[in-house]
Amino acid sequence: MTLFHDAPHAATFGDDALLDRLQTPVWIFDIEQERMRYANAAALRFWEADTPQGLYARDFTSTMSETTRRRLADYLPRLASGEVIDEHWSFYPGGQAVSLHCRCSRVVMRDGCSGMLVEGVDSAISQDASSLRALEAVRHSPMMVSVFDGQGRLLVRNPAALEARQGLASFHACFTDHALAERLLPQLEDEPRCSLDAIMQINGGERWHHVDLCRATDPQTGRPMIVMGELDITSRKTLEAAQLVSRRQLEVVIEGLELGLLLEDEHRRVIVANQAFCDLFGLDASPESLAELNCREAAHSVKEYFTEPDAFVARIEELVVEGRKQTRDLLTMKGGRFLERSYTPLFVADEYHGHLWAYRDVTRQKRQQAYWARQASTDPLTGLANRRSFDDAAGEVARSVEREEIEAALLMIDIDRFKAINDSLGHAEGDKGLKLLANTLKDNLRPSDLPCRTGGEEFMVIMPDMAPEEAESVAWRLQRQIAEASIDAQELPFHFTVSIGVTRFRPGDANIQAVTQRADAAMYQAKHEGRNCVAVHW
């Protein structure tokens, strides 16, 4: 006969031998003290104990895993509420795993403490080895697994769920959004499975979980039950939120830029574009609508905006093939606009992932630069080229003559007695004379000729592709036109004359000074010959 050790009154009704005759093990375990308080004969055999006293003295604390300890801790409030818990357990009485389906209920022992009465259930509910291993895997998995009945009442949880969610014993209580939980229950009646990301209640706090729900059948009662698996994805959600903020911040920056940006993937498809890009190319479309657009086709569709359409497309293909960063390609558009383009290939760990095009409208800058260049190279009073422009152009012509590519002539023009005009009529009237001479040159020379004001009343004309005899003829024509012109002065109209020296560029000239010195000598010869005439010095 099995002797009772501190057995509760509730367990000792009737003859003790009656319990020993049962073929199913029955024992009472003190969860709080983690020790055995009673075992019948079948339980002694199950636990491989020689005597009840040996089993009662056994140290379960040292062999109990934290998973088991958490599982039993969850039992305490459930048993106290009168719940009868049916679950499968794996025990290791002799070091080898033994599986048993247990029915657990609460009993009050002689000392007034609560104990857990465990009844080993017949193997009719037992499972095969694969199922038992699957149960063990679920018990030790970090994934939270909970099972509810069709009304959302908790049936069982694995240790991960027990540890994370204590005191929340219903399907609705697990969700921060109870309305969401309310919608999910009827949804599972129509759909056997569903997955979602939701904010869940965990030990008084909130965490983002990926939730998998599955409708199943309770193997014990045959009634519907709901299996819920949860994985904590709070870190991922936090990262996604940070990425979303960063992306939005980047979008704001991109949209605020005056640069037109177009990001392509490695297959030449648009990833992202900004509004400035659409505006630069006059696209009647939103940046979002350009996503996945074929960039090669798009380049052909806009090439006609440029003065050199085929070169525009060819350069794009060249840059993509080379795969090297290129900045500040200048593109000239029809209508006088200018774009500056940069190309940047994108590599991650030496792997190519597309490229970025950046377009900037530099029309205003180019016009400003052209204006500054004109200011730097133009005489402000007459609008003719100044001395600096003369030196640059004359040097270029001289090099062409040296290479025997062309022949060229040079005129030096000086207003006769210009100081007397300024002294008698004033500088304002003298300026009118300078402007009249300049306009006469502009109106009576070829487009290829370059008239320059190189001094106060001194002018020069570079005449490329001009034979010496033709240059002399042009000089006499200019001399007559200037002499016949009249200046409308404040007092009375007046006339002035010029002396013109003509020379040619020689292949053997050492420098520009050699050419200008001959022109200067010819001009002074015209002065000595009575002014208002032309002299030559070849």
Side-chain angles (χ1 to χ4, degrees):
M1 175 182 294
T2 301
L3 298 177
F4 290 84
H5 177 80
D6 198 19
H9 294 292
T12 58
F13 61 89
D15 190 356
D16 294 345
L18 184 63
L19 292 176
D20 285 332
R21 294 178 62 183
L22 293 176
Q23 297 302 307
T24 57
V26 176
W27 66 84
I28 297 175
F29 189 77
D30 187 334
I31 295 176
E32 293 180 340
Q33 298 295 322
E34 296 183 354
R35 66 189 183 95
M36 198 72 72
R37 301 291 289 270
Y38 167 74
N40 70 350
L44 290 177
R45 292 192 297 273
F46 177 82
W47 286 103
E48 298 184 11
D50 295 330
T51 65
Q53 289 76 11
L55 179 61
Y56 304 154
R58 186 175 295 181
D59 181 11
F60 287 93
T61 298
S62 61
T63 59
M64 188 180 298
S65 68
E66 284 303 314
T67 299
T68 300
R69 189 171 283 109
R70 289 194 297 268
R71 188 176 177 188
L72 290 174
D74 178 67
Y75 276 18
L76 282 174
R78 296 169 63 185
L79 294 172
S81 67
E83 181 180 354
V84 175
I85 302 172
D86 278 291
E87 287 189 5
H88 213 90
W89 282 78
S90 291
F91 301 100
Y92 304 87
Q96 298 294 320
V98 179
S99 295
L100 185 68
H101 191 89
C102 300
R103 179 163 294 146
C104 306
S105 58
R106 174 178 177 264
V107 292
V108 178
M109 295 176 290
R110 289 175 178 169
D111 58 6
C113 296
S114 294
M116 179 175 68
L117 176 64
V118 181
E119 304 172 63
V121 180
D122 195 301
S123 60
I125 313 179
S126 66
Q127 302 176 18
D128 59 27
S130 295
S131 298
L132 292 174
R133 292 184 183 118
L135 280 174
E136 283 302 299
V138 170
R139 289 191 181 108
H140 292 280
S141 170
M143 173 185 278
M144 298 170 57
V145 180
S146 304
V147 181
F148 304 89
D149 66 15
Q151 286 70 49
R153 292 186 292 265
L154 180 66
L155 296 176
V156 66
R157 285 186 176 128
N158 74 338
L162 292 174
E163 180 181 15
R165 186 176 287 133
Q166 299 172 1
L168 301 177
S170 72
F171 182 80
H172 295 76
C174 297
F175 290 80
T176 299
D177 185 351
H178 297 321
L180 171 62
E182 192 67 37
R183 293 192 300 270
L184 286 172
L185 286 177
Q187 179 180 335
L188 286 167
E189 294 178 4
D190 301 323
E191 302 175 16
R193 294 178 179 275
C194 73
S195 298
L196 69 153
D197 294 344
I199 301 176
M200 307 296 282
Q201 290 291 336
I202 299 296
N203 288 342
E206 296 180 349
R207 303 283 290 181
W208 272 101
H209 282 186
H210 177 76
V211 182
D212 289 306
L213 297 169
C214 174
R215 188 186 69 220
T217 301
D218 189 327
Q220 182 178 3
T221 65
R223 294 175 181 175
M225 69 178 188
I226 299 168
V227 179
M228 181 169 74
E230 302 171 70
L231 282 176
D232 193 315
I233 57 170
T234 305
S235 297
R236 191 192 82 192
K237 283 291 185 178
T238 302
L239 179 59
E240 288 176 352
Q243 290 174 334
L244 183 62
V245 171
S246 297
R247 180 180 178 85
R248 183 54 191 151
Q249 290 171 337
L250 181 60
E251 288 173 351
V252 171
V253 171
I254 289 175
E255 288 304 320
L257 293 174
E258 294 183 2
L259 284 174
L261 299 179
L262 180 71
L263 181 62
E264 299 180 18
D265 65 17
E266 61 272 26
H267 305 297
R268 301 294 309 278
R269 296 281 179 178
V270 175
I271 299 175
V272 66
N274 67 349
Q275 187 61 48
F277 176 84
C278 296
D279 295 341
L280 285 176
F281 286 91
L283 301 180
D284 187 18
S286 66
E288 295 76 15
S289 67
L290 301 183
E292 297 298 324
L293 184 69
N294 185 303
C295 297
R296 184 172 284 107
E297 295 176 0
H300 281 278
S301 69
V302 300
K303 70 178 184 179
E304 296 304 324
Y305 291 148
F306 298 89
T307 56
E308 299 182 35
D310 293 334
F312 167 74
V313 173
R315 179 60 172 159
I316 288 176
E317 295 299 325
E318 178 185 347
L319 290 171
V320 172
V321 170
E322 289 181 357
R324 291 186 296 106
K325 185 174 182 178
Q326 176 65 38
T327 60
R328 298 184 179 178
D329 271 354
L330 184 64
L331 309 174
T332 305
M333 303 185 75
K334 295 175 181 177
R337 291 175 60 212
F338 296 91
L339 294 184
E340 188 178 84
R341 177 181 61 199
S342 297
Y343 166 81
T344 305
L346 305 179
F347 290 91
V348 178
D350 295 329
E351 185 176 348
Y352 174 68
H353 285 277
H355 45 263
L356 174 70
W357 299 102
Y359 291 87
R360 184 163 65 101
D361 191 324
V362 293
T363 304
R364 185 177 65 180
Q365 293 92 318
K366 293 297 292 183
R367 289 175 179 170
Q368 186 67 55
Q369 289 170 5
Y371 171 77
W372 288 334
R374 286 195 301 272
Q375 291 294 98
S377 61
T378 303
D379 175 56
L381 176 64
T382 64
L384 298 181
N386 61 14
R387 182 75 196 209
R388 176 181 177 181
S389 296
F390 168 80
D391 290 340
D392 292 341
E396 185 64 34
V397 170
R399 286 187 287 273
S400 296
V401 172
E402 179 69 26
R403 295 191 296 265
E404 299 183 352
E405 296 173 352
I406 62 170
E407 56 180 344
L410 178 66
L411 308 184
M412 181 176 286
I413 305 170
D414 190 83
I415 298 176
D416 296 329
R417 299 184 176 88
F418 185 68
K419 184 177 186 302
I421 294 173
N422 278 339
D423 292 345
S424 60
L425 300 177
H427 287 280
E429 302 304 328
D431 288 347
K432 290 180 181 180
L434 295 173
K435 291 178 182 178
L436 183 143
L437 175 54
N439 291 333
T440 301
L441 296 176
K442 292 176 186 176
D443 296 339
N444 293 278
L445 292 171
R446 303 171 305 169
S448 59
D449 298 331
L450 179 64
C452 309
R453 184 187 178 197
T454 54
E457 68 273 19
E458 180 184 88
F459 293 76
M460 290 190 186
V461 180
I462 301 173
M463 309 178 80
D465 292 311
M466 177 71 73
E469 297 79 9
E470 294 177 288
E472 184 179 1
S473 176
V474 171
W476 279 109
R477 175 164 51 85
L478 292 173
Q479 179 269 331
R480 289 193 300 271
Q481 288 171 331
I482 294 168
E484 293 170 0
S486 176
I487 296 176
D488 186 16
Q490 289 184 350
E491 300 296 332
L492 291 171
F494 71 92
H495 301 268
F496 67 91
T497 62
V498 295
S499 297
I500 303 177
V502 185
T503 190
R504 68 186 179 92
F505 287 80
R506 297 174 182 172
D509 286 332
N511 49 47
I512 297 302
Q513 285 73 21
V515 184
T516 58
Q517 285 173 2
R518 288 197 301 273
D520 187 62
M523 185 270 294
Y524 275 104
Q525 180 182 337
K527 294 280 189 184
H528 291 144
E529 291 177 359
R531 296 184 175 87
N532 192 26
C533 65
V534 176
V536 298
H537 189 343
W538 305 122

